[in-house]
Amino acid sequence: MNRIEDRLASLELKHNVKILYACEAGSRAYGLATESSDFDIRFIYIAPLKDYLSLRKKKDTISQQDDMYDIQGWDLKKALLLAGKSNPSLYEWMLSPIVYRELDVAMLPLNDIILKDYSRKVLAFHYANMAKNNLHAWSKKNVASHLVHAVRASLMLEQVIHNDEFATIEFQHLIKNSNTFTNEESSLLFCLKTGEEVTDIPLISQLFAKVSNFITASEELMVHLEEGKVKLSVLEELFFQQLGIEGE
């Protein structure tokens, strides 16, 4: 943890920004990491006021990558604009069980906006497309990670459609709350993810078919989901508060 905090602090100094929130994304946050998994660190930052007033266009992302760490941050303005569009990445960041920098107190309303006011329809279509794309990739390349991601996306889709209260990105919790996928299938996916030999080939075929059928069945429900109620005025007020600008 100290190494990650040191990296975050270094980025703040290098780019003259303040990190408002930082978390783990990807396999470690999902509970699907292996010994070779890297760290996928994501954060939201705010730049000095003059950067937002400058006539010159400023970068709105910060990235740093090596063999062990994949670090990416979004400027607050970019993050808020994407929140207004119910961006799925922000949704998962707020649900991450591994937090390196707790959300700035003044930004706590953003957590509620993302987890309560997001468009379930946008999220559902995102996860349905992710599942479809990974199923297609699995059928073409037979790479284990594609089937794992297809099932994970399907579990997220199931959660978005059918669960109004409990939300998580942790794979084991998703399986536990699923009415579609089983612990046996979860164990199979962990074997595939870690490269263990899988002898139950029929179960893999059944799992592929189950994901495909689940997506098809879900498509009829997705079109009736809520559009969301994120208000740009509320996001803008959060932005002004962080910049120290008083509202009207």
Side-chain angles (χ1 to χ4, degrees):
M1 181 72 81
N2 288 336
R3 285 180 297 174
I4 292 174
E5 176 54 39
D6 288 344
R7 284 174 176 266
L8 294 175
S10 177
L11 286 171
E12 286 181 310
L13 287 173
K14 180 179 179 180
H15 297 279
N16 189 27
V17 300
K18 176 187 176 183
I19 293 177
L20 303 173
Y21 177 71
C23 68
E24 185 70 27
S27 61
R28 291 181 183 274
Y30 303 150
L32 291 170
T34 63
E35 291 183 2
S36 62
S37 295
D38 62 358
F39 290 84
D40 295 301
I41 303 166
R42 300 294 181 262
F43 63 92
I44 299 171
Y45 67 89
I46 187 169
L49 176 60
K50 67 178 183 179
D51 282 11
Y52 299 106
L53 301 177
S54 175
L55 297 178
R56 290 172 292 181
K57 186 175 182 180
K58 300 292 184 176
K59 291 179 63 176
D60 58 8
T61 60
I62 294 173
S63 299
Q64 186 181 87
Q65 190 170 21
D66 57 32
D67 291 341
M68 196 63 187
Y69 297 95
D70 180 346
I71 307 174
Q72 184 178 102
W74 287 350
D75 175 77
L76 178 60
K77 185 175 183 180
K78 176 187 179 77
L80 291 174
L81 288 171
L82 288 173
K85 299 177 181 178
S86 298
N87 179 270
S89 292
L90 285 172
Y91 178 71
E92 294 201 5
W93 294 5
M94 291 300 121
L95 288 172
S96 177
I98 305 173
V99 176
Y100 301 120
R101 290 270 187 98
E102 294 288 347
L103 191 64
D104 187 271
V105 174
M107 292 301 297
L108 287 177
L110 179 62
N111 183 74
D112 289 338
I113 289 169
I114 290 174
L115 298 183
K116 295 179 181 178
D117 297 337
Y118 254 31
S119 168
R120 293 171 67 195
K121 181 178 286 188
V122 169
L123 293 173
F125 274 94
H126 166 77
Y127 288 117
N129 287 332
M130 180 185 291
K132 286 179 184 177
N133 292 337
N134 277 286
L135 272 191
H136 179 72
W138 163 261
S139 64
K140 294 292 184 182
K141 302 177 182 179
N142 201 35
V143 176
S145 61
H146 291 304
L147 185 57
V148 174
H149 288 308
V151 174
R152 190 194 80 83
S154 298
L155 286 164
M156 291 297 293
L157 174 61
E158 182 182 17
Q159 176 177 249
V160 168
I161 293 176
H162 298 292
N163 200 320
D164 293 328
E165 298 179 2
F166 183 80
T168 181
I169 59 171
E170 295 181 76
F171 192 82
Q172 290 288 20
H173 290 169
L174 288 167
I175 284 285
K176 181 180 179 181
N177 292 302
S178 176
N179 292 317
T180 305
F181 298 93
T182 67
N183 286 326
E184 182 183 15
E185 291 161 343
S186 171
S187 298
L188 170 68
L189 290 171
F190 275 102
C191 289
L192 289 172
K193 189 78 165 56
T194 56
E196 295 180 37
E197 184 178 356
V198 176
T199 56
D200 196 344
I201 303 302
L203 185 56
I204 295 178
S205 299
Q206 292 169 21
L207 185 55
F208 181 95
K210 179 181 282 191
V211 172
S212 181
N213 292 335
F214 175 73
I215 296 170
T216 300
S218 297
E219 286 177 337
E220 294 182 9
L221 301 173
M222 287 160 50
V223 296
H224 301 294
L225 291 175
E226 298 172 4
E227 292 286 358
K229 48 190 175 182
V230 178
K231 295 181 179 179
L232 187 60
S233 60
V234 175
L235 297 173
E236 190 173 57
E237 185 59 32
L238 284 175
F239 184 52
F240 288 158
Q241 287 176 6
Q242 282 295 322
L243 292 176
I245 300 174
E246 293 185 4
E248 297 181 0

